Amino acid sequence: MSTRSVSADNPAAESALSPADRIVSTLRGMLPDGAELAVCWRDWALGNGAAATPSATAVLRKRAEQALADTHAEHDSPELRVHAWDNADGNARIAVAVSLPHPLPPAEEEPWLLLARTLLVTSLDAARAQARIVSLEKSKRLQQALYEIADLAGADLEMPEMLRRIHAVVNSLMYAENCYIVLYDDQRRSVRFLYFADQRDPYVAEPEREFSEEEMANSMTFALLRHGQPLRGPSAVIRQKLGVMRDPSHGPDSLDWLGVPMRREDRVCGAIVVQSYDAPASYADEDRALLGYVAQHILTALDRKHAHVELEHRVEARTHELQRANRELQAEVMERKRAEKLQRALFRITDLAITSDSLERFYADVHVVVDELINARNFYIALVSDDGDMLQFPYSIDERDPMRKSRRMTNGLTEYVIATGKPLLADREVIHRLAEEGKLLQHGPPAFSWLGVPLFRGEDAVGAVVVQSYSTDVTFSAHDQSLLTFVAHHIGNGLDRQRAQERLRSAHAELERRVDERTRELAEANHQLRAQIGERLRAEQQLTYQATHDALTGLPNRPHLLDRLSAAIERARHGDGQAFAVLFLDLDRFKLVNDSMGHAAGDELLVEVARRITMSMHGSDMVSRLGGDEFAILVEYTDGVENVRDHAQRLLAVLGRPMWVAGRELFPSASLGIAIWHPRYRNGEELLRDADAAMYRAKEQGRDRCAMFDEAMREAAMQSLDLEADLRRAINHHDFLPFYQPIRRLDDRTIIGHEALLRWQHDRRGLLLPSEFIELGEDSGLIEQVDWLLYEQVVRRIAQGVEGYISVNVSPRHFRSPDFADRLLAMFEAHGADPSRMRVEITEVALLDDAPRTLRILRTLRQHGILAQLDDFGTGFSALSYLHRFPISVLKIDRSFIAGLGSEARPESLALVRAILALASTLGIETIAEGVETDEQRHALLELGCELGQGYLLGRPAASMTGGSADLA
């Protein structure tokens, strides 16, 4: 406690005294001569203080201090008067001790004491107000500085200009004429000087240049970054403290140096340093704390600036990527259109082989089809007679040789193609050279361009298909040769199919329909993809303007909503906030509006929905668009949870009113989920997650309604997490096992193989079917590990010896892995098993996913004896081009078609199964009927020519294999 003595006899000196000293002098003047007094006080804002007359004794001052601590101070004697009291607000206590030469009458003592109390209390109130004013001024300057830094971070300024202005802001808070800012990479152990301003050091900042720790071994900046705590004092003192040697290359020494690290979570990522060359002790602890507070805001500003630049780069890169993808897609679409055109032509040839009334009509129709693919104005088909002596021309259209007659086999161009069994593409020069070499003889008018391909029956060339041109305007190419070769193969097959035209007519009609459907699907997919690409481009161009609000509706976006939720949760945790809830709203069937009316209409619908939601909310509520057709609403309530539910119902009613969009009257509806604040929530993401789950519950209950998140939903989510944990433990414990279902001949039920089906032996729930966990395994990515456990058990079983083969299901995931075939074959080698005893079952989706990679894998497996079976045939794309390209040995007819056979047979199922069997027979592929459950189905399949089957009628899945043959029912 400090004390000071004053004299009441020196007015000149009194003018230089503090207010407390002047009050003591005034009170002394109102007492008798020889009187002395001492004053002490304790204030919550100002601290402790004291004042006394110059002649006051130490004992008198001590009595005043004791009275300040004693809440029951009493008068000691008539000559020594002690008084202590608290002010009216209770935030200050004052004590006065007076030494009198003789007792003071009560009539004089009481007014004097009242005056002393008034003067002292008033003086403390004034000093306290002055201190508050000074504090508020400092806070105002700091707040203004932080606002300016935040504005600079969001302004469209280059980084050097932004940092220069931030430097000016810091300089307004303290002495900071000499200032620099660095960023630190603790992985590379390097720094970059983003900003440097110094009166004595001429260094110019190079933000892109990195300085390693080795380059600046004795740098105080690196020492500060390693130290990780603020440092203040002369440069020499700080170097001694940190063990850094003096290095003049790092700049001159300063009399006072203040450095503050910038942190991102627990990692030091930079620093800001100010220094003074002229005045020692320029910085105080208050400046160090202030600079540390400002440093974090500067780091935030730098992060926002960096994120802005990074976002621009990402948008630009993504734009280029989408443009490239669009070009590739256009090329793929064109290629698919050409392939579809060829496929349609092949279907027509196949169909003509069945539907044509005669061979002459078949040839004429084939000519029309070929003419659609290449220029076939001059076209003929040549066939070798059965005895091999004559070359016959069953069909010929030629502008210069209208009557092409049969002739004996000679060395003509056509005979050359048949003899070599290879296509020939020749112009007049090539034909002349071959004639000079004695390899052929020109028959008929000379052609300018001639193209012939052989017709095969089995492996023997039995004829040729020829097109030729007499004009320089029409020249055939290698592409035309490949096309005509492919067509000739199907023409040859068409000639053979004449014998089975009735059996294949329905099959070709069905296949033609599928091709048309696929063509429409591709066109629709292309249209939708173009629309999505355009929407993505527009969305990415607006990303930079959507930092806190949605560009379409103007509503706050997800980050803004999460900030508000964090603040609401923080208030609720401290008990000073209002109860609140989160409403998660999703429009029902919004995709239908986009697909049918276009994205512009969808946007118009979203804007109107946003307007209706906003108009239905109170002033304190917050409406946010999360993306797509999802909206979230932060609602504060005071009248209980039911009030929130009623509010949600009213909102759904408002949304359900009709609206006009793009010239159409729509009746929108929405599903709405509600999550009520509970202390278990730690952040806004958890509230949104539960509100989203409640929204999906509302959709499951029929849409156009609301649902509130409850413990049952929470329990369901926990059960899903528990099942995933069980799945991981089951993988570690090898709790998965194969069940084998036999594949039999339908006539005598002889077993030819088994299909390995996955089962999970759960420790609590018993035996689980794939339908109970396969979706979770796909979502978590664990299903591949489960498949490999199954494959290893099957390979081990094959090594022990099996009857026939065992087939296993392979998902498209495995075909995305380039080492799938090598890994599977290595497993056979490790167990000493025969690979030819295994077959892999794949779906059409796997073929279409990555066709080149899938083809390489299937060929590798086939080279080692592992054949491929196409599962669920008929339910996917069923493209003939894939059956032609891929080494498929077996088609498994989907159970949905087999279910339509039997006592109540459906004509469409019968026609489809007949078509598939005819197609497989033509291509030399076996067929297996899946889901055979009745004898009627088995007999129907036998009548259609299907020899193999699988289903509950023929054997249920079991842990052990069955052997031998079963009695016919």
Side-chain angles (χ1 to χ4, degrees):
M1 178 182 296
S2 63
T3 60
R4 183 172 182 179
S5 298
V6 299
S7 172
D9 299 327
N10 190 353
E14 185 176 353
S15 63
L17 299 178
S18 68
D21 293 335
R22 288 198 294 272
I23 291 173
V24 170
S25 178
T26 300
L27 294 176
R28 168 64 181 81
M30 299 177 65
L31 294 174
D33 293 339
E36 304 292 340
L37 75 153
V39 179
C40 294
W41 64 85
R42 181 175 64 244
D43 187 277
W44 67 274
L46 304 175
N48 295 344
T53 57
S55 302
T57 64
V59 175
L60 186 63
R61 292 188 177 94
K62 189 67 174 179
R63 284 298 296 123
E65 293 177 0
Q66 291 175 350
L68 189 65
D70 188 1
T71 57
H72 303 286
E74 299 290 343
H75 307 317
D76 287 341
S77 66
E79 290 78 14
L80 180 61
R81 311 296 290 172
V82 180
H83 301 276
W85 68 92
D86 295 329
N87 69 344
D89 295 330
N91 54 13
R93 182 169 176 80
I94 308 167
V96 176
V98 183
S99 174
L100 300 170
H102 54 78
L104 196 65
E108 296 180 11
E109 181 181 3
E110 291 179 2
W112 181 89
L113 182 59
L114 179 60
L115 177 62
R117 289 189 175 191
T118 302
L119 289 175
L120 290 171
V121 169
T122 303
S123 177
L124 289 178
D125 288 343
R128 193 182 306 112
Q130 184 63 31
R132 188 179 300 112
I133 290 172
V134 173
S135 176
L136 289 175
E137 286 294 333
K138 290 182 179 179
S139 299
K140 180 180 178 181
R141 290 202 307 272
L142 175 60
Q143 187 177 33
Q144 182 65 30
L146 296 180
Y147 279 143
E148 291 181 16
I149 291 175
D151 289 342
L152 289 172
D156 188 14
L157 296 174
E158 295 296 331
M159 184 69 73
E161 177 63 16
M162 184 190 76
L163 294 178
R164 186 188 66 78
R165 296 191 184 186
I166 289 177
H167 176 203
V169 174
V170 175
N171 199 22
S172 69
L173 299 175
M174 66 179 70
Y175 178 78
E177 292 293 337
N178 308 299
C179 172
Y180 63 87
I181 301 172
V182 298
L183 282 184
Y184 178 53
D185 188 336
D186 58 354
Q187 300 297 322
R188 298 163 61 89
R189 303 186 71 82
S190 64
V191 298
R192 290 187 293 118
F193 284 84
L194 297 185
Y195 181 78
F196 194 93
D198 197 280
Q199 295 173 323
R200 297 188 182 182
D201 193 336
Y203 172 72
V204 178
E206 300 175 81
E208 300 302 323
R209 181 181 176 185
E210 288 190 69
F211 293 89
S212 65
E213 193 169 8
E214 290 75 13
E215 293 179 80
M216 303 178 65
N218 295 315
S219 167
M220 290 175 59
T221 303
F222 264 106
L224 170 66
L225 295 171
R226 290 193 299 268
H227 184 63
Q229 298 298 328
L231 294 172
R232 176 172 61 89
S235 299
V237 175
I238 294 178
R239 281 200 305 273
Q240 183 178 4
K241 179 179 179 180
L242 298 178
V244 176
M245 299 293 293
R246 172 80 171 96
D247 189 345
S249 65
H250 296 320
D253 274 357
S254 56
L255 296 180
D256 202 5
W257 192 90
L258 174 59
V260 176
M262 294 189 294
R263 291 180 174 275
R264 187 178 290 111
E265 296 179 352
D266 293 332
R267 297 172 58 185
V268 176
C269 59
I272 177 171
V273 176
V274 295
Q275 52 189 335
S276 172
Y277 298 110
D278 304 322
S282 297
Y283 307 111
D285 289 339
E286 181 181 357
D287 295 322
R288 180 178 61 185
L290 177 62
L291 191 61
Y293 192 51
V294 171
Q296 290 308 118
H297 283 74
I298 292 175
L299 178 61
T300 301
L302 293 176
D303 287 345
R304 290 177 61 185
K305 195 70 177 178
H306 177 74
H308 180 79
V309 174
E310 182 66 22
L311 182 60
E312 289 182 343
H313 291 332
R314 288 170 58 194
V315 168
E316 182 179 0
R318 186 56 177 158
T319 300
H320 292 321
E321 182 181 346
L322 287 176
Q323 290 174 344
R324 179 184 55 79
N326 186 37
R327 290 193 297 269
E328 293 177 355
L329 180 62
Q330 293 297 328
E332 182 180 350
V333 169
M334 294 300 297
E335 182 62 29
R336 288 193 178 189
K337 285 183 177 180
R338 287 193 292 269
E340 288 164 4
K341 184 177 181 181
L342 174 61
Q343 193 175 36
R344 284 195 299 270
L346 300 180
F347 274 129
R348 289 179 60 187
I349 293 174
T350 304
D351 187 60
L352 290 172
I354 299 175
T355 59
S356 296
D357 298 333
S358 63
L359 281 175
E360 290 75 10
R361 184 62 186 172
F362 171 71
Y363 296 142
D365 291 338
V366 166
H367 180 199
V368 173
V369 174
V370 174
D371 194 40
E372 293 177 357
L373 301 176
I374 59 176
N375 191 314
R377 182 176 182 180
N378 305 295
F379 170 88
Y380 66 84
I381 296 175
L383 294 176
V384 179
S385 62
D386 294 337
D387 56 10
D389 294 336
M390 298 293 294
L391 184 64
Q392 301 170 340
F393 300 93
Y395 183 81
S396 175
I397 297 294
D398 196 286
E399 57 187 336
R400 297 192 180 181
D401 191 0
M403 297 296 293
R404 197 180 303 273
K405 298 181 179 180
S406 300
R407 65 170 182 260
R408 288 193 171 276
M409 293 290 290
T410 60
N411 58 346
L413 279 170
T414 306
E415 290 89 334
Y416 180 81
V417 170
I418 296 173
T420 60
K422 297 179 180 179
L424 175 62
L425 174 61
D427 54 16
R428 287 186 176 177
E429 181 179 349
V430 172
I431 296 173
H432 181 69
R433 176 172 51 82
L434 293 175
E436 287 183 345
E437 295 174 357
K439 295 182 178 180
L440 54 81
L441 178 66
Q442 174 73 49
H443 291 276
F448 177 77
S449 182
W450 195 91
L451 173 61
V453 296
L455 282 175
F456 288 96
R457 180 177 294 128
E459 296 182 356
D460 299 326
V462 296
V465 177
V466 178
V467 291
Q468 53 187 339
S469 167
Y470 300 108
S471 169
T472 57
D473 296 334
V474 179
T475 303
F476 301 111
S477 64
H479 177 73
D480 296 330
Q481 175 182 318
S482 299
L483 190 64
L484 191 61
T485 301
F486 198 48
V487 171
H489 172 73
H490 285 75
I491 293 176
N493 291 338
L495 294 174
D496 294 336
R497 291 192 191 104
Q498 284 285 318
R499 303 170 184 174
Q501 61 180 8
E502 289 297 331
R503 185 163 57 93
L504 292 180
R505 180 178 288 118
S506 60
H508 280 294
E510 176 61 22
L511 292 176
E512 188 68 26
R513 184 186 66 79
R514 286 182 176 271
V515 170
D516 290 337
E517 287 181 357
R518 182 58 179 157
T519 303
R520 289 193 297 272
E521 289 175 3
L522 287 174
E524 180 64 18
N526 183 39
H527 174 73
Q528 294 180 1
L529 189 55
R530 284 174 176 270
Q532 291 174 4
I533 290 174
E535 188 67 23
R536 288 288 296 275
L537 286 174
R538 289 191 295 274
E540 291 183 1
Q541 290 169 356
Q542 297 172 357
L543 279 178
T544 54
Y545 302 99
Q546 297 177 351
T548 58
H549 287 79
D550 174 52
L552 177 64
T553 62
L555 295 176
N557 59 11
R558 187 184 189 95
H560 195 166
L561 173 65
L562 290 176
D563 288 343
R564 281 286 302 274
L565 282 175
S566 298
I569 291 173
E570 189 66 21
R571 290 195 301 271
R573 286 191 179 278
H574 289 85
D576 57 352
Q578 193 168 352
F580 66 93
V582 173
L583 279 60
F584 197 105
L585 183 145
D586 182 90
L587 296 180
D588 297 331
R589 305 181 67 190
F590 175 71
K591 185 177 184 299
L592 180 60
V593 176
N594 272 343
D595 293 344
S596 60
M597 301 174 63
H599 285 281
D603 290 346
E604 184 179 346
L605 174 63
L606 290 174
V607 171
E608 175 62 17
V609 167
R611 188 190 68 81
R612 292 189 179 186
I613 296 175
T614 305
M615 295 297 293
S616 302
M617 296 298 109
H618 302 302
S620 60
D621 298 340
M622 177 179 178
V623 182
S624 171
R625 183 188 177 207
L626 303 182
D629 58 337
E630 295 180 343
F631 297 83
I633 308 162
L634 172 61
V635 178
E636 295 182 347
Y637 64 92
T638 57
D639 301 331
V641 175
E642 287 303 319
N643 181 261
V644 179
R645 192 187 296 272
D646 294 341
H647 189 59
Q649 293 290 357
R650 289 194 298 272
L651 176 59
L652 291 177
V654 170
L655 291 178
R657 293 200 297 263
M659 65 174 67
W660 285 90
V661 175
R664 292 180 178 271
E665 186 178 20
L666 301 181
F667 295 84
S669 65
S671 300
L672 193 147
I674 305 171
I676 303 297
W677 151 250
H678 188 277
R680 69 169 175 269
Y681 291 115
R682 295 171 296 179
N683 52 56
E685 289 286 2
E686 295 180 354
L687 269 165
L688 282 177
R689 177 201 63 201
D690 290 348
D692 188 19
M695 181 272 293
Y696 278 105
R697 173 65 61 86
K699 282 191 179 293
E700 293 172 359
Q701 293 173 351
R703 302 183 179 182
D704 194 18
R705 65 192 64 225
C706 64
M708 188 169 295
F709 186 83
D710 53 21
E711 288 302 321
M713 294 186 193
R714 183 178 177 83
E715 183 64 26
M718 295 303 295
Q719 288 179 359
S720 179
L721 290 176
D722 292 342
L723 184 60
E724 182 176 347
D726 290 346
L727 186 61
R728 293 182 183 276
R729 285 193 295 271
I731 292 174
N732 294 332
H733 297 160
H734 292 200
D735 291 337
F736 298 93
L737 64 154
F739 268 44
Y740 299 98
Q741 185 174 26
I743 301 172
R744 300 178 183 268
R745 295 190 182 276
L746 293 177
D747 51 0
D748 59 2
R749 299 196 181 185
T750 300
I751 292 177
I752 67 165
H754 292 80
E755 180 180 358
L757 303 174
L758 179 65
R759 297 293 186 268
W760 178 6
Q761 187 63 52
H762 197 280
D763 54 355
R764 298 188 309 275
R765 299 171 57 184
L767 194 64
L768 300 183
L769 298 177
S771 59
E772 301 180 61
F773 62 87
I774 200 74
E775 182 176 357
L776 176 62
E778 291 283 354
D779 293 341
S780 61
L782 299 174
I783 195 63
E784 290 188 50
Q785 300 180 47
V786 175
D787 285 346
W788 282 110
L789 293 177
L790 177 72
Y791 299 160
E792 185 174 10
Q793 295 185 64
V794 170
V795 171
R796 191 182 302 118
R797 181 67 180 84
I798 291 175
Q800 297 172 359
V802 295
E803 179 180 3
Y805 62 86
I806 300 178
S807 65
V808 295
N809 290 280
V810 180
S811 70
R813 281 176 169 269
H814 291 294
F815 286 97
R816 301 189 192 109
S817 175
D819 64 342
F820 170 73
D822 295 337
R823 184 176 176 183
L824 184 63
L825 294 172
M827 190 177 291
F828 274 96
E829 184 176 354
H831 290 83
D834 182 7
S836 64
R837 292 292 184 175
M838 174 180 278
R839 293 187 181 181
V840 293
E841 292 193 12
I842 59 176
T843 62
E844 294 169 78
V845 175
L847 295 179
L848 295 172
D849 194 15
D850 188 347
R853 178 180 294 177
T854 302
L855 181 60
R856 289 194 301 271
I857 292 175
L858 292 180
R859 284 176 173 173
T860 301
L861 295 177
R862 189 181 186 93
Q863 290 172 1
H864 291 80
I866 300 178
L867 303 182
Q869 302 184 160
L870 191 57
D871 198 11
D872 300 331
F873 183 75
T875 61
F877 299 98
S878 304
L880 285 183
S881 59
Y882 286 104
L883 292 180
H884 177 76
R885 288 174 55 192
F886 289 91
I888 303 299
S889 300
V890 177
L891 298 182
K892 300 192 75 173
I893 306 175
D894 187 70
R895 62 179 64 249
S896 61
F897 301 136
I898 306 304
L901 305 179
S903 58
E904 298 180 359
R906 294 194 295 268
E908 61 273 15
S909 296
L910 193 64
L912 286 171
V913 174
R914 180 183 290 114
I916 293 172
L917 291 172
L919 173 64
S921 175
T922 301
L923 298 177
I925 300 176
E926 291 185 344
T927 54
I928 299 176
E930 293 185 295
V932 181
E933 298 184 354
T934 66
D935 272 323
E936 290 83 357
Q937 294 171 351
R938 184 175 70 88
H939 290 306
L941 289 169
L942 286 172
E943 291 177 0
L944 291 173
C946 181
E947 298 178 353
L948 306 176
Q950 176 183 355
Y952 285 173
L953 177 68
L954 306 174
R956 293 178 176 270
S960 59
M961 293 187 184
T962 57
S965 60
D967 296 333
L968 292 173

